Amino acid sequence: MRRSEQTRAEDTLLRDTSRRFLEDTYAWDEGRSRRADRADHWRFAAELGWFALGLPERLGGLEGDGNQLLSILEEAGRVLHDAPLLANVLLAPKALSAMNEAVAIPLAEKLAAGEIRFAYVPDGSVHLSRSTMRLEGRSGVALGAAEATHWLVAVGSRSVDGASLLLLPANDAVRRTDFRLIDGRSASTLHFEDLAIPDDAALARGETAFRLLEDLNDRAVIGGCAEAFGALEGGLGLTVDYLKQRTQFGAPLSSFQAVQHKMAESFCEIEQMRSLLLWGAVALDASPDERAQAASALKVFLGREGLTAASRCIQVSGGIGLTEDYRIGHVYKRLQTVAALFGSTEAHIARLGDLFIPSTPPA
Amino acid sequence: MDAFFTADEIAFRDEVRAFIRENLPTDLAQKTRDGIHLAREDMARWNTILDKRGWAVHHWPTEYGGPGWTPIQRFIFEAECASADAPPLSVFGLYLVGPTIYTFGSSEQRARYLPGIRSGEAFWCQGYSEPDAGSDLAAVRTTARKVEGGWIIDGSKAWTSEGHFADLMICLARTNPNVKPQTGLSLFIVDMKAKGISLQPVITIDSGHSVNTTFMDSVFVPDDGLIGGVDKGWTYAKFLLSHERTNNAQVHRSRREFTRLKDLAAALPGSGGRRLIDEPAMCRRFTLVEANLVSLEVTVLRILADQTEGREPGPEASIVKIIGSELQQRITELAMEVLGEEGVKVEHEGDSLLAQEAQGWTKRHLFRRVVTIYAGSNEIQKTIIARSVLGM
Ligand SMILES: Cc1cc2nc3c(=O)[nH]c(=O)nc-3n(C[C@H](O)[C@H](O)[C@H](O)COP(=O)(O)OP(=O)(O)OC[C@H]3O[C@@H](n4cnc5c(N)ncnc54)[C@H](O)[C@@H]3O)c2cc1C
């Protein structure tokens, strides 16, 4: 088990390679022209092994651990990456592991090679009729659904009986509303209007599906928080550098105690988030309760202290922090976005509360 | 909070309320609800309506067209305007330039510039900050050099809000480089159409355009464009800051936004068949904001009551910018929780209440990060409290 981010040599290598690759090909710039070469970029990412890392060996994968997977997402967050890595690095490998191998192996191969792309389609109000195999309802916010070749669709996630996990080829017959999110990523809502689906589209149903859906959503939470964490840590570095350069009242802003304390507070919050992420990384493969606790604790921390840390960075940057051309505002928007996805802060507080203080039946 | 007002003040409130009900165009109210950076025409229209009733420059002395209200009456008026979603009036003319000119300007300047502000025909912007002079305003580098018949201004101004549609700028420039920074500054009236002025839009975090960088390249300002005495600009600017104490609290805007947010949370479904606002966690968060909002309202009223009754406000006047701006941010932070996923979308689908309201709230929320930075950042305000109030 990993209890510190003072990592093994091969992890450092992975992180450094990822960081270099991202900075070379995807560094944040104010013109935001970096989407230009996306297909290439995806292929390079595949060559680096990002999509094979989460797959088990029996599916031809590299069987990396949670820390390694999250380090990729963290590094992607640092450059405010806007492609749907989360679903392909962290979620799809899990879903494929749960599938029948004959179907899973070819898909895993293509995922690892960067030839297909998955999108995670969280549940909104989607309902599957077992008797007619027809799908009805609206999804939640699905990152990268428009560019994906395959959708992992969460259905009926609120009850054990209604739960299913579906794998659908991206499909023009499904009405899709595409929109941008405030952090620049693209996402969609899918509208299933009495859509007939083949029997074998359901990867799991009932109890198994329910557990798998919880697992996927916790992964989305933990992975999303890893991306947000990378963005935030990069944002703190940017801000501290700026404060050392910006002079007011004849001294660098970094020399004012009020400003120093603000950055020190943000640092405290960021380090705690790093701790929670380390727990999240091992919890990915721990018991469902522990995984849920780690995911919700992270999400609550992100939605409260994480956002506070980011808004403090804007504050000490002054007016420049409010401009579209400067990166810190985009860091803030990334955090705000992750805070709203995969269950709100209040919803995760409630969930953590239920795990921490289980309600006792009345005597 | 009726217990705080006299019977006359309540009667006054009813009069104002009735006037607004009859005279505020519904499309203007709608625009005020939806947007955060209003167009000039929209602000001007409401200004003109108020001017006809003699209420546009409600805190100016009667000799310059003010209605002669007490500070408490102004509070009531502003509260009524906000709660009816009346457009905010352009702050620069009304709160900054008007008082500067009637206090320090010449009689010609008063006659020439005050009527336009009152009627809403003339828009002003504020050219104080510069790239290297933010919190440290005395570091202004823009220079004004004396020439025959006037002054030549050179330099650039950062963050000129509304500069792209303003007619005139009140500009702080250095007239004497040989004295200590504060004592070498003067205030000028600059025509935004003058030769040598160019603007570059600055897009803000909400993707909106309300601020600009203004470049001034050998801009000629005639002698009558100087306000008051040469090298007195700093004194004038400081005087105004101490003069206007409660506007920065934005208490009325906060009250109105909070009410709207409460209405929204009451109209949205929560879990288990409840209204969203009835979920215990939501209810608690709303209630805590309410407690802070009421305490801000009473604090502002306390200051205004002192002013109304001819006393100099106490040290509480120095806290309202801090507590008011932090509260503004808390309200939109709560809004983001109310909106959930809808709040992080740039485009919204359908005409549900949520889809209609989301965009305005999200933009407000993002732009609202500014309120703790501008008008004297909260760090600077806290230093002032520690030094001048607590004597530390
Ligand atoms: C949207 C927007 C609209 C604006 N509109 C106008 C306008 O119309 N006209 C105009 O003249 N100006 C305008 N401003 C400028 C505004 O007044 C300045 O942004 C503000 O004074 C802060 O200056 P700065 O941005 O240079 O930040 P800085 O002065 O660089 O400050 C950065 C941070 O350091 C902190 N800090 C600085 N000095 C100290 C210290 N000694 N101790 C502790 N902390 C310190 C500040 O509190 C802040 O958090 C606007 C700004 C914005 C963002």
Side-chain angles (χ1 to χ4, degrees):
Chain A
M1 192 182 62
R2 314 293 300 286
R3 291 188 285 203
S4 159
E5 91 294 357
Q6 314 270 336
T7 44
R8 294 178 306 211
E10 67 260 39
D11 291 359
T12 314
L13 188 66
L14 173 71
R15 188 184 281 275
D16 289 351
T17 322
S18 307
R19 185 175 298 186
R20 247 193 330 273
F21 164 65
L22 285 162
E23 272 170 4
D24 287 352
T25 60
Y26 222 80
W28 193 89
D29 75 84
E30 11 182 300
R32 285 174 291 282
S33 54
R34 63 216 165 88
R35 291 189 192 85
D37 222 357
R38 231 168 177 179
D40 262 13
H41 186 80
W42 197 267
R43 200 159 37 73
F44 286 139
E47 278 168 21
L48 285 176
W50 287 5
F51 310 120
L53 195 62
L55 290 165
E57 273 172 27
R58 67 186 165 83
L59 297 182
L62 300 171
E63 210 158 309
D65 67 14
N67 279 288
Q68 294 171 323
L69 293 167
L70 294 191
S71 75
I72 291 173
L73 295 175
E74 227 175 277
E75 292 306 321
R78 193 181 303 276
V79 295
L80 297 173
H81 205 288
D82 54 6
L85 290 175
L86 172 62
N88 291 283
V89 171
L90 203 61
L91 273 56
K94 177 76 200 178
L96 292 176
S97 311
M99 282 168 66
N100 166 345
E101 266 185 27
V103 191
I105 287 173
L107 286 172
E109 227 165 67
K110 289 193 178 129
L111 169 66
E115 286 161 18
I116 55 175
R117 282 192 210 191
F118 290 85
Y120 169 54
V121 184
D123 192 11
S125 57
V126 188
H127 170 80
L128 175 68
S129 155
R130 289 284 167 76
S131 49
T132 60
M133 285 302 275
R134 280 173 183 275
L135 203 55
E136 185 69 47
R138 220 180 109 122
S139 77
V141 171
L143 290 168
E147 307 155 63
T149 54
H150 293 73
W151 293 330
L152 286 165
V153 185
V155 176
S157 60
R158 275 166 208 86
S159 74
V160 173
D161 289 343
S164 314
L165 174 63
L166 309 180
L167 177 63
L168 298 178
N171 183 343
D172 284 342
V174 176
R175 188 160 71 81
R176 207 180 67 218
T177 343
D178 299 338
F179 42 84
R180 277 170 309 139
L181 300 178
I182 56 172
D183 69 352
R185 288 189 281 185
S186 35
S188 314
T189 307
L190 304 188
H191 305 262
F192 301 107
E193 287 150 355
D194 199 28
L195 179 78
I197 59 157
D199 263 347
D200 60 4
L203 301 185
R205 291 187 195 177
E207 171 93 43
T208 325
F210 186 73
R211 275 191 273 111
L212 198 51
L213 291 184
E214 294 241 294
D215 192 343
L216 287 181
N217 210 63
D218 285 340
R219 281 175 174 260
V221 167
I222 294 169
C225 287
E227 291 178 309
F229 172 79
L232 181 57
E233 204 193 18
L236 180 73
L238 175 80
T239 307
V240 169
D241 285 347
Y242 176 74
L243 293 173
K244 289 179 187 163
Q245 286 160 25
R246 167 91 175 155
T247 302
Q248 288 287 277
F249 304 102
L253 290 179
S254 60
S255 67
F256 300 128
Q257 213 164 50
V259 173
Q260 291 172 344
H261 285 189
K262 281 201 153 54
M263 291 298 89
E265 282 159 12
S266 291
F267 181 72
C268 292
E269 284 147 357
I270 287 173
E271 283 308 311
Q272 290 174 81
M273 227 181 124
R274 192 197 305 280
S275 305
L276 288 174
L277 266 174
L278 274 167
W279 183 29
V282 288
L284 285 174
D285 302 307
S287 73
D289 267 7
E290 181 164 351
R291 190 197 60 229
Q293 274 169 4
S296 287
L298 246 176
K299 195 66 168 28
V300 171
F301 204 87
L302 171 89
R304 294 164 51 88
E305 284 83 355
L307 269 172
T308 306
S311 59
R312 255 197 234 103
C313 288
I314 295 184
Q315 178 67 22
V316 298
S317 301
I320 190 180
L322 255 285
T323 62
E324 186 86 355
D325 281 351
Y326 191 63
R327 196 172 80 190
I328 201 64
H330 298 267
V331 169
Y332 183 70
K333 289 192 242 189
R334 170 58 55 93
L335 265 78
Q336 191 78 63
T337 304
V338 176
L341 298 181
F342 316 125
S344 70
T345 307
E346 290 296 345
H348 280 279
I349 293 176
R351 182 175 183 239
L352 192 58
D354 287 341
L355 290 161
F356 174 57
I357 311 171
S359 53
T360 47
Chain B
M1 220 174 284
D2 285 4
F4 252 92
F5 298 105
T6 64
D8 284 349
E9 285 163 351
I10 302 274
F12 172 76
R13 182 189 69 193
D14 294 341
E15 182 194 349
V16 170
R17 193 171 290 179
F19 174 82
I20 296 174
R21 195 182 315 115
E22 278 154 37
N23 291 282
L24 174 64
T26 49
D27 67 311
L28 277 188
Q30 188 60 44
K31 282 182 180 163
T32 308
R33 273 192 293 276
D34 292 346
I36 50 171
H37 310 299
L38 258 81
R40 170 176 173 152
E41 310 80 77
D42 296 326
M43 291 189 277
R45 244 167 95 203
W46 179 233
N47 201 323
T48 308
I49 294 170
L50 287 179
D51 186 39
K52 288 214 183 88
R53 183 72 176 76
W55 288 355
V57 288
H58 54 273
H59 65 297
W60 292 10
T62 39
E63 50 191 312
Y64 308 115
W69 290 340
T70 65
I72 297 274
Q73 283 178 306
R74 282 182 232 140
F75 177 97
I76 293 170
F77 175 75
E78 288 170 356
E80 290 302 315
C81 286
S83 77
D85 297 319
L89 299 175
S90 176
V91 25
F92 303 111
L94 203 60
Y95 287 98
L96 176 71
V97 179
T100 304
I101 288 182
Y102 65 65
T103 313
F104 303 110
S106 64
S107 49
E108 291 80 44
Q109 285 170 338
R110 292 179 197 168
R112 184 160 162 200
Y113 296 112
L114 297 182
I117 298 175
R118 202 167 60 216
S119 67
E121 278 156 297
F123 273 73
W124 288 72
C125 61
Q126 176 188 19
Y128 284 14
S129 307
E130 294 180 6
D132 291 322
S135 301
D136 183 11
L137 192 57
V140 158
R141 281 205 205 138
T142 295
T143 55
R145 186 166 45 88
K146 188 72 189 92
V147 292
E148 180 68 37
W151 301 80
I152 296 285
I153 300 190
D154 275 291
S156 52
K157 291 291 171 184
W159 316 113
T160 14
S161 298
E162 303 180 2
H164 50 301
F165 57 67
D167 306 298
L168 296 150
M169 172 194 274
I170 181 165
C171 174
L172 191 61
R174 187 159 302 285
T175 33
N176 189 345
N178 303 317
V179 288
K180 82 178 185 75
Q182 286 84 348
T183 40
L185 296 166
S186 306
L187 277 181
F188 292 92
I189 296 166
V190 179
D191 184 340
M192 291 299 281
K193 283 176 211 74
K195 194 160 158 277
I197 291 195
S198 57
L199 268 76
Q200 197 172 53
V202 173
I203 304 302
T204 42
I205 187 167
D206 56 314
S207 305
H209 172 208
S210 64
V211 290
N212 308 273
T213 308
T214 306
F215 301 96
M216 293 183 285
D217 181 13
S218 298
V219 176
F220 178 75
V221 174
D223 277 327
D224 60 8
L226 172 73
I227 302 178
V230 181
D231 293 354
K232 291 285 194 320
W234 185 259
T235 324
Y236 300 162
K238 287 284 134 165
F239 170 83
L240 278 167
L241 290 180
S242 61
H243 179 80
E244 181 41 66
R245 303 190 112 147
T246 56
N247 186 43
N248 282 335
Q250 291 291 346
V251 59
H252 309 295
R253 175 191 284 180
S254 286
R255 170 54 75 193
R256 176 59 186 147
E257 285 188 359
F258 189 55
T259 303
R260 283 183 58 196
L261 187 61
K262 195 158 120 286
D263 292 346
L264 178 63
L268 292 174
S271 59
R274 283 178 299 211
R275 303 180 303 171
L276 184 61
I277 201 168
D278 293 329
E279 291 188 3
M282 269 302 165
C283 175
R284 185 183 147 82
R285 285 183 67 170
F286 271 91
T287 309
L288 291 176
V289 171
E290 171 66 16
N292 283 31
L293 184 48
V294 174
S295 73
L296 174 66
E297 286 170 329
V298 178
T299 307
V300 167
L301 273 169
R302 214 172 119 199
I303 297 164
L304 299 177
D306 276 335
Q307 288 181 338
T308 301
E309 289 149 28
R311 291 182 301 268
E312 183 57 22
E316 74 277 7
S318 58
I319 74 170
V320 295
K321 156 77 196 336
I322 298 176
I323 61 174
S325 57
E326 287 177 357
L327 187 59
Q328 279 187 278
Q329 292 178 340
R330 270 184 72 192
I331 291 172
T332 62
E333 279 159 14
L334 180 55
M336 292 307 281
E337 189 67 32
V338 167
L339 296 173
E341 288 184 342
E342 203 64 30
V344 296
K345 297 181 186 173
V346 175
E347 297 98 18
H348 303 270
E349 172 197 5
D351 52 6
S352 70
L353 184 62
L354 196 55
Q356 281 174 23
E357 292 258 328
Q359 194 175 49
W361 279 111
T362 307
K363 284 177 179 291
R364 269 194 292 280
H365 170 66
L366 294 170
F367 193 68
R368 219 27 77 70
R369 298 257 56 103
V370 79
V371 297
T372 47
I373 293 173
Y374 67 13
S377 78
N378 285 20
E379 289 71 39
I380 299 294
Q381 303 281 346
K382 286 175 192 174
T383 304
I384 293 173
I385 293 180
R387 289 210 184 125
S388 6
V389 182
L390 303 175
M392 297 170 85

